[in-house]
Amino acid sequence: MSTAQTAKKIDFIDLVAQQSRIRKQIDERIRRVLDHGQYILGPEVTELESKLAQFVGVKEALSMASGTDALLIALMALGVGPGDEVITTPFTFISTAEVIALLQAKPVFVDIDEKTFNINPVLIEKAVTKKTKAIIPVSLYGQCANMEAINEIAKKHNIPVIEDGCQSFGSTRHGKQSCSLSTIGCTSFFPSKPLGGYGDGGACFTNDPALAQKMKWIRVHGQDKRYHHPLIGVNGRFDTLQAAILLPKLEIFPEEVTLRAKIGERYTQLLKGVVGTPATDAGNTHVYAQYTVRVKNRASFQESLNKAGVPTAVHYPIPLHLQPAFSYLNYKEGSLPVSELCAREVVSLPMHPYLSSADQDRIVEAVKLA
């Protein structure tokens, strides 16, 4: 049996290493919540929202039950509903477009830039119609979309922009934090995200106090005061226990962002010319929520790495316009060719702030032999 076959399997994401570093602070924070017993929207939620707003550099941060809820509530606050159109990317997780469809609006898919995997701003304006109610660019894999170009088109047509920053929290564009770059920014605190809790969670960010107020009401069933409901809302509240877990994580997050960037840059240096490595757009920093490469022979590539004890994942194998759930939109294969090409070729390698150089070298060696 070869050394590769007997080698210890590498973790795709290592949450244990992070937890061991801050376990004492997490335990203490959880104990305080158990002591005061305010399990929904307790004082830790208020504290976290204040610190998140400060980190992102916006006036308002509102915690939500999930990243999906954050996107849904953002759209609801903007009044998106039946008959409206929302422009977005097909190369992302389904939640981005799912929330549009849930509100009986129409997702309008625009193809991506092959280098960054993010929505191509050049193609957005052609998709704008009188029914366009919002644009949702996704800052995929850990770097921001070209938000200035997107905002310029949006301003011209008086359309709000929601940045889906569920994978890019902690990254910057021209010195400004992801989620501070548009009308509303949304992120996710799913455990595997750059800033992740130990369950579902998310947040919305805005500088618009009126929008913030609407989102606050919507997340508690449209309620402005007890048993008084000026709006239709949802149950989008954040658990206090999750806020208690995120507070110590947020303290070490800037350091983890730096570590992620170094590991991502080292991957790119070591894999240049071996596989298609991710490109960081000018003016961007990258948090590498995923370190995603491109290969022509993905199935055999993944099989080879698995045998070497290196896990991989595919984000995302079927673009949204070809998903059965969106067949009613009548997109055909070939209609968004760049997204379709990338969906066939992308594969993500193990990535987290505590990935050792030795493990990274093992991964790189396995990639070279695949």
Side-chain angles (χ1 to χ4, degrees):
M1 192 175 283
S2 71
T3 308
Q5 288 172 312
T6 58
K8 178 179 173 289
K9 194 169 179 71
I10 292 166
D11 291 317
F12 190 75
I13 296 168
D14 185 358
L15 297 177
V16 176
Q18 182 199 57
Q19 186 184 115
S20 62
R21 182 180 171 187
I22 54 172
R23 180 63 183 263
K24 187 179 174 183
Q25 295 93 316
I26 289 172
D27 285 347
E28 173 56 26
R29 283 284 191 172
I30 290 173
R31 186 190 64 77
R32 284 188 221 169
V33 176
L34 297 179
D35 285 347
H36 67 59
Q38 297 174 58
Y39 300 122
I40 302 290
L41 296 177
E44 285 77 9
V45 172
T46 306
E47 183 185 350
L48 178 66
E49 288 177 341
S50 174
K51 288 180 175 176
L52 287 171
Q54 190 177 5
F55 178 83
V56 172
V58 294
K59 291 174 184 173
E60 301 276 357
L62 303 164
S63 59
M64 301 290 172
S66 68
T68 306
D69 278 330
L71 291 164
L72 177 66
I73 289 167
L75 285 169
M76 290 172 76
L78 293 169
V80 172
D84 293 332
E85 294 178 355
V86 179
I87 294 169
T88 193
T89 168
F91 196 62
T92 181
F93 186 58
I94 194 167
S95 56
T96 312
E98 178 181 55
V99 291
I100 301 166
L102 279 169
L103 294 173
Q104 297 179 53
K106 179 185 176 184
V108 175
F109 295 117
V110 167
D111 216 347
I112 60 171
D113 179 294
E114 193 171 350
K115 289 181 181 176
T116 65
F117 305 110
N118 286 328
I119 194 167
N120 188 340
V122 175
L123 304 175
I124 290 176
E125 193 152 21
K126 294 174 189 172
V128 174
T129 71
K130 289 178 181 178
K131 293 181 179 179
T132 306
K133 196 67 181 272
I135 302 170
I136 309 182
V138 177
S139 295
L140 199 72
Y141 296 154
Q143 72 168 320
C144 296
N146 184 345
M147 297 302 291
E148 306 84 53
I150 295 164
N151 286 337
E152 194 177 321
I153 295 162
K155 188 178 178 182
K156 181 179 170 184
H157 296 278
N158 197 28
I159 302 166
V161 177
I162 300 169
E163 183 196 1
D164 180 339
C166 288
Q167 295 183 22
S168 60
F169 194 75
S171 71
T172 61
R173 183 162 178 84
H174 300 299
K176 291 183 71 178
Q177 288 285 340
S178 174
C179 295
S180 74
L181 303 167
S182 60
T183 317
I184 303 171
C186 298
T187 200
S188 168
F189 301 130
F190 186 78
S192 63
K193 295 294 192 269
L195 180 64
Y198 294 156
D200 278 310
C204 292
F205 302 86
T206 188
N207 284 313
D208 185 325
L211 272 179
Q213 187 62 72
K214 279 184 85 173
M215 290 190 288
K216 274 183 189 174
W217 294 347
I218 292 166
R219 79 172 171 185
V220 287
H221 302 283
Q223 179 176 272
D224 63 345
K225 56 189 176 185
R226 194 164 173 79
Y227 300 130
H228 186 261
H229 306 267
L231 300 170
I232 294 295
V234 297
N235 178 2
R237 300 169 303 204
F238 193 49
D239 292 344
T240 309
L241 279 166
Q242 290 302 332
I245 289 160
L246 281 177
L247 280 162
K249 286 191 166 207
L250 186 58
E251 285 181 25
I252 62 168
F253 186 58
E255 184 190 342
E256 290 187 338
V257 167
T258 302
L259 290 170
R260 283 179 170 277
K262 285 180 180 175
I263 292 163
E265 286 159 14
R266 187 169 187 263
Y267 259 139
T268 300
Q269 188 180 12
L270 295 172
L271 291 174
K272 199 170 183 181
V274 181
V275 288
T277 53
T280 303
D281 204 12
N284 277 358
T285 61
H286 206 309
V287 290
Y288 297 102
Q290 313 294 344
Y291 188 86
T292 302
V293 300
R294 289 174 64 180
V295 295
K296 298 291 183 189
N297 55 333
R298 188 166 64 199
S300 61
F301 177 87
Q302 287 188 279
E303 187 182 351
S304 177
L305 263 66
N306 187 50
K307 284 178 182 174
V310 177
T312 58
V314 177
H315 309 93
Y316 300 91
I318 304 172
L320 298 184
H321 67 289
L322 299 180
Q323 290 286 354
F326 291 116
S327 60
Y328 68 93
L329 296 172
N330 295 317
Y331 286 92
K332 304 295 180 195
E333 202 164 327
S335 56
L336 298 170
V338 182
S339 297
E340 292 167 32
L341 174 65
C342 291
R344 289 192 295 270
E345 295 183 355
V346 290
V347 59
S348 301
L349 303 177
M351 180 70 206
H352 57 84
Y354 304 101
L355 185 66
S356 68
S357 294
D359 278 349
Q360 193 173 24
D361 290 341
R362 256 188 71 194
I363 294 161
V364 168
E365 188 59 29
V367 170
K368 288 178 177 178
L369 293 172

